[in-house]
mmCIF file of all heavy atoms in Angstrom:
data_model
loop_
_atom_site.group_PDB
_atom_site.id
_atom_site.type_symbol
_atom_site.label_atom_id
_atom_site.label_comp_id
_atom_site.label_asym_id
_atom_site.label_seq_id
_atom_site.Cartn_x
_atom_site.Cartn_y
_atom_site.Cartn_z
ATOM 1 N N VAL A 1 -9.632 7.361 -2.004
ATOM 2 C CA VAL A 1 -8.374 6.679 -2.308
ATOM 3 C C VAL A 1 -7.371 6.906 -1.187
ATOM 4 O O VAL A 1 -6.647 5.957 -0.762
ATOM 5 C CB VAL A 1 -7.756 7.181 -3.669
ATOM 6 C CG1 VAL A 1 -6.342 6.737 -3.869
ATOM 7 C CG2 VAL A 1 -8.699 6.729 -4.769
ATOM 8 N N GLN A 2 -7.276 8.141 -0.704
ATOM 9 C CA GLN A 2 -6.331 8.455 0.368
ATOM 10 C C GLN A 2 -6.642 7.658 1.628
ATOM 11 O O GLN A 2 -5.761 7.068 2.274
ATOM 12 C CB GLN A 2 -6.354 9.946 0.700
ATOM 13 C CG GLN A 2 -5.661 10.783 -0.350
ATOM 14 C CD GLN A 2 -5.752 12.271 -0.055
ATOM 15 O OE1 GLN A 2 -6.624 12.779 0.670
ATOM 16 N NE2 GLN A 2 -4.811 13.029 -0.609
ATOM 17 N N ALA A 3 -7.913 7.581 1.996
ATOM 18 C CA ALA A 3 -8.320 6.884 3.203
ATOM 19 C C ALA A 3 -7.994 5.372 3.059
ATOM 20 O O ALA A 3 -7.510 4.797 4.060
ATOM 21 C CB ALA A 3 -9.793 7.096 3.496
ATOM 22 N N LEU A 4 -8.333 4.788 1.966
ATOM 23 C CA LEU A 4 -8.103 3.376 1.738
ATOM 24 C C LEU A 4 -6.581 3.074 1.726
ATOM 25 O O LEU A 4 -6.130 2.055 2.290
ATOM 26 C CB LEU A 4 -8.690 2.857 0.489
ATOM 27 C CG LEU A 4 -10.253 2.849 0.529
ATOM 28 C CD1 LEU A 4 -10.845 2.515 -0.892
ATOM 29 C CD2 LEU A 4 -10.822 1.891 1.547
ATOM 30 N N ALA A 5 -5.800 3.970 1.102
ATOM 31 C CA ALA A 5 -4.352 3.774 1.090
ATOM 32 C C ALA A 5 -3.728 3.861 2.514
ATOM 33 O O ALA A 5 -2.671 3.271 2.739
ATOM 34 C CB ALA A 5 -3.729 4.854 0.171
ATOM 35 N N CYS A 6 -4.408 4.550 3.371
ATOM 36 C CA CYS A 6 -3.897 4.647 4.754
ATOM 37 C C CYS A 6 -4.538 3.605 5.674
ATOM 38 O O CYS A 6 -4.526 3.716 6.888
ATOM 39 C CB CYS A 6 -4.182 6.056 5.346
ATOM 40 S SG CYS A 6 -3.257 7.356 4.524
ATOM 41 N N PHE A 7 -5.079 2.552 5.059
ATOM 42 C CA PHE A 7 -5.575 1.369 5.739
ATOM 43 C C PHE A 7 -6.947 1.550 6.422
ATOM 44 O O PHE A 7 -7.240 0.773 7.372
ATOM 45 C CB PHE A 7 -4.565 0.757 6.708
ATOM 46 C CG PHE A 7 -3.299 0.220 5.962
ATOM 47 C CD1 PHE A 7 -2.151 1.041 5.967
ATOM 48 C CD2 PHE A 7 -3.334 -0.976 5.309
ATOM 49 C CE1 PHE A 7 -1.034 0.539 5.305
ATOM 50 C CE2 PHE A 7 -2.224 -1.484 4.701
ATOM 51 C CZ PHE A 7 -1.119 -0.704 4.643
ATOM 52 N N ASP A 8 -7.666 2.631 6.176
ATOM 53 C CA ASP A 8 -8.993 2.726 6.691
ATOM 54 C C ASP A 8 -9.880 1.627 6.065
ATOM 55 O O ASP A 8 -9.720 1.394 4.821
ATOM 56 C CB ASP A 8 -9.610 4.097 6.391
ATOM 57 C CG ASP A 8 -8.975 5.220 7.243
ATOM 58 O OD1 ASP A 8 -8.174 4.908 8.182
ATOM 59 O OD2 ASP A 8 -9.277 6.397 7.035
ATOM 60 N N SER A 9 -10.777 1.095 6.773
ATOM 61 C CA SER A 9 -11.636 0.036 6.210
ATOM 62 C C SER A 9 -12.685 0.680 5.284
ATOM 63 O O SER A 9 -13.021 1.818 5.455
ATOM 64 C CB SER A 9 -12.309 -0.756 7.328
ATOM 65 O OG SER A 9 -13.316 0.017 7.954
ATOM 66 N N PRO A 10 -13.219 -0.105 4.339
ATOM 67 C CA PRO A 10 -14.234 0.449 3.460
ATOM 68 C C PRO A 10 -15.454 0.969 4.249
ATOM 69 O O PRO A 10 -15.998 2.017 3.852
ATOM 70 C CB PRO A 10 -14.624 -0.715 2.583
ATOM 71 C CG PRO A 10 -13.356 -1.581 2.543
ATOM 72 C CD PRO A 10 -12.758 -1.467 3.902
ATOM 73 N N SER A 11 -15.837 0.362 5.261
ATOM 74 C CA SER A 11 -17.017 0.807 6.033
ATOM 75 C C SER A 11 -16.673 2.101 6.755
ATOM 76 O O SER A 11 -17.545 2.995 6.832
ATOM 77 C CB SER A 11 -17.513 -0.244 6.994
ATOM 78 O OG SER A 11 -16.486 -0.581 7.954
ATOM 79 N N VAL A 12 -15.509 2.244 7.273
ATOM 80 C CA VAL A 12 -15.054 3.514 7.918
ATOM 81 C C VAL A 12 -15.005 4.651 6.865
ATOM 82 O O VAL A 12 -15.438 5.780 7.056
ATOM 83 C CB VAL A 12 -13.690 3.363 8.606
ATOM 84 C CG1 VAL A 12 -13.091 4.706 9.024
ATOM 85 C CG2 VAL A 12 -13.818 2.497 9.821
ATOM 86 N N VAL A 13 -14.502 4.328 5.690
ATOM 87 C CA VAL A 13 -14.421 5.321 4.600
ATOM 88 C C VAL A 13 -15.768 5.750 4.153
ATOM 89 O O VAL A 13 -16.088 6.968 4.005
ATOM 90 C CB VAL A 13 -13.598 4.758 3.406
ATOM 91 C CG1 VAL A 13 -13.624 5.735 2.247
ATOM 92 C CG2 VAL A 13 -12.132 4.474 3.829
ATOM 93 N N ALA A 14 -16.716 4.797 4.047
ATOM 94 C CA ALA A 14 -18.045 5.137 3.565
ATOM 95 C C ALA A 14 -18.764 6.067 4.627
ATOM 96 O O ALA A 14 -19.397 7.030 4.202
ATOM 97 C CB ALA A 14 -18.887 3.858 3.444
ATOM 98 N N ALA A 15 -18.573 5.794 5.878
ATOM 99 C CA ALA A 15 -19.143 6.658 6.922
ATOM 100 C C ALA A 15 -18.474 8.030 6.903
ATOM 101 O O ALA A 15 -19.203 9.037 7.076
ATOM 102 C CB ALA A 15 -18.945 5.958 8.320
ATOM 103 N N ALA A 16 -17.207 8.110 6.662
ATOM 104 C CA ALA A 16 -16.546 9.376 6.629
ATOM 105 C C ALA A 16 -16.949 10.223 5.388
ATOM 106 O O ALA A 16 -17.121 11.451 5.539
ATOM 107 C CB ALA A 16 -15.039 9.186 6.611
ATOM 108 N N VAL A 17 -17.153 9.585 4.314
ATOM 109 C CA VAL A 17 -17.584 10.272 3.099
ATOM 110 C C VAL A 17 -18.996 10.802 3.321
ATOM 111 O O VAL A 17 -19.296 11.944 2.897
ATOM 112 C CB VAL A 17 -17.490 9.328 1.820
ATOM 113 C CG1 VAL A 17 -18.227 9.962 0.690
ATOM 114 C CG2 VAL A 17 -16.092 8.969 1.539
ATOM 115 N N LYS A 18 -19.788 10.041 3.933
ATOM 116 C CA LYS A 18 -21.192 10.400 4.237
ATOM 117 C C LYS A 18 -21.158 11.737 5.184
ATOM 118 O O LYS A 18 -21.853 12.698 4.915
ATOM 119 C CB LYS A 18 -21.968 9.312 4.932
ATOM 120 C CG LYS A 18 -23.323 9.715 5.438
ATOM 121 C CD LYS A 18 -24.324 9.993 4.306
ATOM 122 C CE LYS A 18 -25.703 10.207 4.888
ATOM 123 N NZ LYS A 18 -26.656 10.651 3.860
ATOM 124 N N LYS A 19 -20.280 11.674 6.155
ATOM 125 C CA LYS A 19 -20.170 12.772 7.147
ATOM 126 C C LYS A 19 -19.556 13.988 6.475
ATOM 127 O O LYS A 19 -20.017 15.129 6.669
ATOM 128 C CB LYS A 19 -19.343 12.358 8.304
ATOM 129 C CG LYS A 19 -19.228 13.401 9.370
ATOM 130 C CD LYS A 19 -18.425 12.950 10.587
ATOM 131 C CE LYS A 19 -18.272 14.003 11.599
ATOM 132 N NZ LYS A 19 -17.436 13.612 12.736
ATOM 133 N N GLU A 20 -18.472 13.831 5.739
ATOM 134 C CA GLU A 20 -17.745 14.947 5.169
ATOM 135 C C GLU A 20 -18.412 15.599 3.904
ATOM 136 O O GLU A 20 -18.334 16.785 3.728
ATOM 137 C CB GLU A 20 -16.311 14.504 4.790
ATOM 138 C CG GLU A 20 -15.431 14.127 5.926
ATOM 139 C CD GLU A 20 -15.022 15.268 6.758
ATOM 140 O OE1 GLU A 20 -14.793 16.377 6.245
ATOM 141 O OE2 GLU A 20 -14.992 15.129 8.015
ATOM 142 N N PHE A 21 -19.035 14.771 3.131
ATOM 143 C CA PHE A 21 -19.503 15.221 1.812
ATOM 144 C C PHE A 21 -21.044 15.020 1.615
ATOM 145 O O PHE A 21 -21.581 15.500 0.682
ATOM 146 C CB PHE A 21 -18.797 14.471 0.636
ATOM 147 C CG PHE A 21 -17.360 14.698 0.661
ATOM 148 C CD1 PHE A 21 -16.450 13.718 1.176
ATOM 149 C CD2 PHE A 21 -16.762 15.844 0.144
ATOM 150 C CE1 PHE A 21 -15.107 13.889 1.181
ATOM 151 C CE2 PHE A 21 -15.374 16.048 0.099
ATOM 152 C CZ PHE A 21 -14.586 15.073 0.637
ATOM 153 N N GLY A 22 -21.694 14.324 2.567
ATOM 154 C CA GLY A 22 -23.048 14.074 2.484
ATOM 155 C C GLY A 22 -23.435 13.148 1.310
ATOM 156 O O GLY A 22 -24.567 13.207 0.808
ATOM 157 N N VAL A 23 -22.514 12.325 0.975
ATOM 158 C CA VAL A 23 -22.677 11.369 -0.182
ATOM 159 C C VAL A 23 -22.661 9.924 0.385
ATOM 160 O O VAL A 23 -21.816 9.539 1.150
ATOM 161 C CB VAL A 23 -21.530 11.548 -1.169
ATOM 162 C CG1 VAL A 23 -21.684 10.488 -2.308
ATOM 163 C CG2 VAL A 23 -21.536 12.940 -1.754
ATOM 164 N N ASP A 24 -23.637 9.187 -0.036
ATOM 165 C CA ASP A 24 -23.709 7.758 0.346
ATOM 166 C C ASP A 24 -22.891 6.967 -0.632
ATOM 167 O O ASP A 24 -23.175 7.048 -1.864
ATOM 168 C CB ASP A 24 -25.170 7.228 0.325
ATOM 169 C CG ASP A 24 -25.984 7.713 1.544
ATOM 170 O OD1 ASP A 24 -25.428 7.667 2.629
ATOM 171 O OD2 ASP A 24 -27.130 8.119 1.350
ATOM 172 N N VAL A 25 -21.949 6.248 -0.116
ATOM 173 C CA VAL A 25 -21.165 5.284 -0.921
ATOM 174 C C VAL A 25 -21.229 3.958 -0.238
ATOM 175 O O VAL A 25 -21.332 3.902 0.962
ATOM 176 C CB VAL A 25 -19.655 5.733 -1.167
ATOM 177 C CG1 VAL A 25 -19.636 7.029 -1.956
ATOM 178 C CG2 VAL A 25 -18.985 5.912 0.166
ATOM 179 N N SER A 26 -21.204 2.937 -0.999
ATOM 180 C CA SER A 26 -21.202 1.550 -0.396
ATOM 181 C C SER A 26 -20.274 0.718 -1.200
ATOM 182 O O SER A 26 -19.855 1.055 -2.321
ATOM 183 C CB SER A 26 -22.624 0.954 -0.427
ATOM 184 O OG SER A 26 -23.016 0.795 -1.736
ATOM 185 N N HIS A 27 -19.908 -0.351 -0.618
ATOM 186 C CA HIS A 27 -19.039 -1.298 -1.283
ATOM 187 C C HIS A 27 -19.707 -2.683 -1.236
ATOM 188 O O HIS A 27 -20.458 -2.968 -0.289
ATOM 189 C CB HIS A 27 -17.653 -1.294 -0.672
ATOM 190 C CG HIS A 27 -17.627 -2.013 0.693
ATOM 191 N ND1 HIS A 27 -18.098 -1.347 1.805
ATOM 192 C CD2 HIS A 27 -17.215 -3.226 1.149
ATOM 193 C CE1 HIS A 27 -17.980 -2.188 2.876
ATOM 194 N NE2 HIS A 27 -17.420 -3.267 2.478
ATOM 195 N N ASP A 28 -19.476 -3.403 -2.236
ATOM 196 C CA ASP A 28 -20.013 -4.787 -2.284
ATOM 197 C C ASP A 28 -18.831 -5.700 -2.004
ATOM 198 O O ASP A 28 -17.928 -5.897 -2.869
ATOM 199 C CB ASP A 28 -20.607 -5.033 -3.711
ATOM 200 C CG ASP A 28 -21.257 -6.463 -3.806
ATOM 201 O OD1 ASP A 28 -20.983 -7.285 -2.914
ATOM 202 O OD2 ASP A 28 -22.011 -6.709 -4.766
ATOM 203 N N PRO A 29 -18.804 -6.346 -0.845
ATOM 204 C CA PRO A 29 -17.725 -7.235 -0.505
ATOM 205 C C PRO A 29 -17.581 -8.427 -1.476
ATOM 206 O O PRO A 29 -16.575 -9.164 -1.403
ATOM 207 C CB PRO A 29 -18.000 -7.671 0.927
ATOM 208 C CG PRO A 29 -19.446 -7.457 1.098
ATOM 209 C CD PRO A 29 -19.856 -6.344 0.135
ATOM 210 N N ASN A 30 -18.557 -8.712 -2.303
ATOM 211 C CA ASN A 30 -18.484 -9.756 -3.251
ATOM 212 C C ASN A 30 -17.829 -9.430 -4.538
ATOM 213 O O ASN A 30 -17.578 -10.258 -5.425
ATOM 214 C CB ASN A 30 -19.923 -10.361 -3.495
ATOM 215 C CG ASN A 30 -20.506 -10.890 -2.255
ATOM 216 O OD1 ASN A 30 -19.859 -11.571 -1.491
ATOM 217 N ND2 ASN A 30 -21.747 -10.552 -2.024
ATOM 218 N N LYS A 31 -17.480 -8.145 -4.743
ATOM 219 C CA LYS A 31 -16.872 -7.683 -6.010
ATOM 220 C C LYS A 31 -15.363 -7.497 -5.768
ATOM 221 O O LYS A 31 -14.969 -7.165 -4.672
ATOM 222 C CB LYS A 31 -17.451 -6.322 -6.419
ATOM 223 C CG LYS A 31 -18.847 -6.443 -6.949
ATOM 224 C CD LYS A 31 -19.250 -5.082 -7.458
ATOM 225 C CE LYS A 31 -20.664 -5.116 -8.050
ATOM 226 N NZ LYS A 31 -21.055 -3.780 -8.565
ATOM 227 N N LYS A 32 -14.622 -7.725 -6.856
ATOM 228 C CA LYS A 32 -13.203 -7.489 -6.734
ATOM 229 C C LYS A 32 -12.984 -5.997 -6.633
ATOM 230 O O LYS A 32 -13.426 -5.204 -7.426
ATOM 231 C CB LYS A 32 -12.525 -8.032 -8.019
ATOM 232 C CG LYS A 32 -11.003 -7.884 -8.000
ATOM 233 C CD LYS A 32 -10.391 -8.485 -9.230
ATOM 234 C CE LYS A 32 -8.906 -8.170 -9.194
ATOM 235 N NZ LYS A 32 -8.238 -8.568 -10.438
ATOM 236 N N ALA A 33 -12.361 -5.607 -5.549
ATOM 237 C CA ALA A 33 -12.226 -4.175 -5.172
ATOM 238 C C ALA A 33 -11.655 -3.274 -6.257
ATOM 239 O O ALA A 33 -12.114 -2.169 -6.485
ATOM 240 C CB ALA A 33 -11.417 -4.048 -3.863
ATOM 241 N N ALA A 34 -10.639 -3.702 -6.983
ATOM 242 C CA ALA A 34 -9.913 -2.811 -7.864
ATOM 243 C C ALA A 34 -10.375 -2.956 -9.367
ATOM 244 O O ALA A 34 -9.785 -2.353 -10.208
ATOM 245 C CB ALA A 34 -8.410 -2.997 -7.806
ATOM 246 N N SER A 35 -11.425 -3.696 -9.612
ATOM 247 C CA SER A 35 -11.839 -3.866 -10.969
ATOM 248 C C SER A 35 -12.431 -2.536 -11.476
ATOM 249 O O SER A 35 -13.242 -1.902 -10.850
ATOM 250 C CB SER A 35 -12.877 -4.995 -11.112
ATOM 251 O OG SER A 35 -14.040 -4.727 -10.444
ATOM 252 N N GLY A 36 -12.041 -2.178 -12.665
ATOM 253 C CA GLY A 36 -12.553 -0.964 -13.278
ATOM 254 C C GLY A 36 -12.004 0.343 -12.768
ATOM 255 O O GLY A 36 -12.566 1.374 -13.083
ATOM 256 N N ILE A 37 -11.001 0.301 -11.921
ATOM 257 C CA ILE A 37 -10.420 1.520 -11.409
ATOM 258 C C ILE A 37 -9.482 2.152 -12.425
ATOM 259 O O ILE A 37 -8.631 1.440 -12.999
ATOM 260 C CB ILE A 37 -9.640 1.278 -10.102
ATOM 261 C CG1 ILE A 37 -10.539 0.513 -9.042
ATOM 262 C CG2 ILE A 37 -8.994 2.518 -9.549
ATOM 263 C CD1 ILE A 37 -11.605 1.417 -8.485
ATOM 264 N N ALA A 38 -9.666 3.463 -12.631
ATOM 265 C CA ALA A 38 -8.799 4.166 -13.607
ATOM 266 C C ALA A 38 -7.339 4.124 -13.154
ATOM 267 O O ALA A 38 -7.082 4.206 -11.913
ATOM 268 C CB ALA A 38 -9.239 5.587 -13.767
ATOM 269 N N PRO A 39 -6.425 4.079 -14.086
ATOM 270 C CA PRO A 39 -4.966 4.040 -13.773
ATOM 271 C C PRO A 39 -4.493 5.185 -12.845
ATOM 272 O O PRO A 39 -3.693 5.046 -12.003
ATOM 273 C CB PRO A 39 -4.272 4.107 -15.096
ATOM 274 C CG PRO A 39 -5.243 3.490 -16.024
ATOM 275 C CD PRO A 39 -6.614 3.940 -15.555
#
């Protein structure tokens, strides 16, 4: 959330999460980005 709020791109954020936490995250550019996000 912090990275995206600071205008990092989703691909940059995914790479940083992989490097920092060892977790693979991906985004689907065909999905609405904020759907299902907790308040």
Side-chain angles (χ1 to χ4, degrees):
V1 170
Q2 288 178 335
L4 292 172
C6 293
F7 296 100
D8 289 350
S9 72
S11 59
V12 167
V13 174
V17 168
K18 173 71 173 171
K19 181 178 178 183
E20 294 290 322
F21 300 99
V23 176
D24 285 317
V25 294
S26 64
H27 71 285
D28 182 347
N30 297 317
K31 290 186 177 179
K32 184 177 175 187
S35 65
I37 303 293

